[in-house]
Amino acid sequence: MYKHLQTSPEAILAIENFNLPSSFDFGKVICPVMIVCDFKNGEWGALNMIPYQTISLDPTCKVFHYGQEIFEGMKAYGVEDKGPFLFRPEENWSRFNLSAERMGMAEIPKDIFIEAVSGMADYNRDFIPNNIGESLYLRPFMIATDNHLGIRPSITFKFMVLASPSAEYITSDYVKVHIQREYARACPGGTGRAKTGGNYAGSLKASMEANKLGFHQTLWLDALHKESIEELSGMNFFAVIDGVVHTPKLTETILDGITRRCLIKIAQNLGYEIKESHMKISELLKQIEDKSCTECFMCGTASIIVPIAELCETDGTSYSLTYSKGQVAKQLRETLLGIQEGRLEDTEAWVTTLL
Ligand SMILES: Cc1ncc(COP(=O)(O)O)c(C=O)c1O
């Protein structure tokens, strides 16, 4: 059934001996196996599933010094004894290679990537939690493994996939978002469109400061003028203004979210007008004040869709959306999750069933 994936007897034993804990949050419990595939001499080697274990790397390994690293986030669903399903895995594969290209790393063939993520969902199917909103979170990633302290691109890489039975990423339904007017997440010509660790490392100080101020997430604005809304540190942004669903138009500094793309399609199918444009924060705040903006929400694979209750300035000024019932976000979330979990008809052929 698998052309590339090789599974060791130790991996099978590790799966047999694993028990899914009764409680887990997001990303803490890790499945007992992992996938490893090395790139050297210009080609990808064997795709192996082995017991979960630490990996040994030379301290000069390039990833430690120059951050040549990329990753993806995706989920396998198995709610109410349906599935297991993967959701648009080819989209994660193509974004992975887009990130690889931007970071000067080896691209990975589609069949290797898809076998790796399918194999992890397949062999770990008993560890897919089965309540609505829960899933097996899959984390494909790749690191640069040349042992050399010079600043130059690696020519060897390690691709791996981990799996984590997970609850929803954000469980609170009251999210306060900090409008970040000092730092920038991504700049023109930079790596914002790639899913590379450095983008996230650079966002952490802002998230620490937001937390200290009592806020939960950071809203990033464009680096040059600090005026156009871009996205959150791990999610895309939407607003409902006069009944129209708005989202920032993609630029090279915004991650092209797969959830974002699905929501645009779902909203259109539900009859909403969609507008992708440069959204000015100053205008949005006025629209929240005059109540023409009735909802703001954020979306991503891990978090699904989370309504924003308040947009906040550093000095504590708050623009509240708590009067809104978040009906559009709720409808989009129920539709998307219903499709992902096989509870609603998959009219767009987004879902792959693992046999
Ligand atoms: C910076 C950033 N924006 C947006 C998203 C949402 O992307 P997706 O919907 O593909 O998970 C993510 C999550 O991967 C992200 O890290």
Side-chain angles (χ1 to χ4, degrees):
M1 172 179 172
Y2 291 103
K3 199 168 113 210
H4 302 283
L5 183 62
Q6 293 165 23
T7 311
S8 69
E10 295 79 11
I12 301 295
L13 198 63
I15 291 168
E16 283 168 4
N17 289 335
F18 185 76
N19 290 315
L20 185 63
S22 56
S23 78
F24 38 82
D25 52 24
F26 181 86
K28 247 198 187 140
V29 174
I30 302 291
C31 282
V33 290
M34 61 189 197
I35 282 186
V36 186
C37 187
D38 290 318
F39 181 88
K40 59 178 176 218
N41 301 323
E43 58 186 18
W44 287 99
L47 184 68
N48 289 317
M49 184 180 288
I50 60 173
Y52 185 81
Q53 57 196 268
T54 53
I55 55 172
S56 169
L57 294 170
D58 190 279
T60 64
C61 189
K62 290 247 188 257
V63 66
F64 295 141
H65 304 273
Y66 307 119
Q68 217 185 352
E69 185 269 357
I70 60 170
F71 68 99
E72 269 302 320
M74 50 201 295
K75 286 175 170 176
Y77 302 86
V79 167
E80 295 170 351
D81 293 330
K82 296 188 172 69
F85 304 119
L86 286 180
F87 188 73
R88 309 189 76 182
E90 303 80 14
E91 301 298 320
N92 295 93
W93 164 72
S94 58
R95 190 170 64 188
F96 196 73
N97 276 351
L98 186 140
S99 301
E101 195 278 328
R102 178 62 185 85
M103 298 305 291
M105 302 174 84
E107 293 184 18
I108 190 157
K110 186 174 180 178
D111 54 349
I112 295 183
F113 184 94
I114 297 293
E115 272 203 20
V117 294
S118 309
M120 279 299 270
D122 180 8
Y123 280 90
N124 291 291
R125 62 175 66 207
D126 289 345
F127 315 132
I128 305 180
N130 54 16
N131 293 311
I132 289 179
E134 295 178 343
S135 60
L136 184 70
Y137 183 77
L138 298 170
R139 170 52 61 86
F141 67 105
M142 176 164 48
I143 56 173
T145 49
D146 278 15
N147 299 327
H148 190 281
L149 287 179
I151 306 179
R152 61 174 188 237
S154 189
I155 52 170
T156 61
F157 301 96
K158 189 179 282 299
F159 168 72
M160 298 181 65
V161 185
L162 310 178
S164 171
S166 290
E168 288 186 39
Y169 185 58
I170 296 175
T171 43
S172 73
D173 39 31
Y174 184 78
V175 184
K176 280 186 174 188
V177 170
H178 182 212
I179 306 164
Q180 178 49 255
R181 294 189 186 267
E182 186 184 354
Y183 308 121
R185 190 194 85 94
C187 63
T191 57
R193 194 169 16 191
K195 223 166 147 53
T196 181
N199 291 340
Y200 299 82
S203 76
L204 297 177
K205 184 161 188 269
S207 107
M208 284 158 69
E209 292 184 5
N211 291 344
K212 227 193 243 167
L213 292 165
F215 311 139
H216 307 105
Q217 293 285 325
T218 305
L219 181 66
W220 296 101
L221 306 175
D222 73 284
L224 296 183
H225 307 290
K226 302 276 180 357
E227 182 57 9
S228 288
I229 296 172
E230 299 217 312
E231 59 178 322
L232 296 115
S233 301
M235 285 164 273
N236 291 111
F237 180 84
F238 281 77
V240 182
I241 304 161
D242 291 323
V244 175
V245 179
H246 290 251
T247 189
K249 186 182 163 75
L250 290 181
T251 63
E252 61 173 322
T253 51
I254 297 179
L255 192 90
D256 179 1
I258 296 161
T259 316
R260 174 188 177 281
R261 265 189 264 151
C262 294
L263 291 189
I264 290 173
K265 186 75 194 149
I266 289 172
Q268 280 165 343
N269 291 350
L270 290 170
Y272 289 103
E273 187 185 334
I274 291 278
K275 201 160 171 213
E276 291 179 73
S277 62
H278 295 298
M279 295 175 68
K280 289 194 168 171
I281 185 69
S282 51
E283 273 175 30
L284 181 74
L285 295 179
K286 274 191 218 130
Q287 287 158 332
I288 294 176
E289 278 187 321
D290 70 22
K291 295 193 167 28
S292 52
C293 172
T294 49
E295 291 180 43
C296 291
F297 57 91
M298 47 200 190
C299 72
T301 300
S303 55
I304 317 172
I305 296 174
V306 181
I308 295 171
E310 287 176 45
L311 288 181
C312 308
E313 303 282 8
T314 305
D315 68 4
T317 309
S318 160
Y319 298 82
S320 173
L321 289 144
T322 44
Y323 63 89
S324 149
K325 299 244 179 328
Q327 288 306 334
V328 178
K330 204 164 162 222
Q331 190 185 15
L332 293 177
R333 184 191 145 95
E334 276 167 14
T335 311
L336 175 67
L337 200 54
I339 296 170
Q340 290 172 325
E341 294 180 344
R343 295 178 287 107
L344 290 179
E345 193 191 347
D346 175 26
T347 52
E348 304 294 331
W350 284 338
V351 172
T352 306
T353 308
L354 298 173
L355 298 173

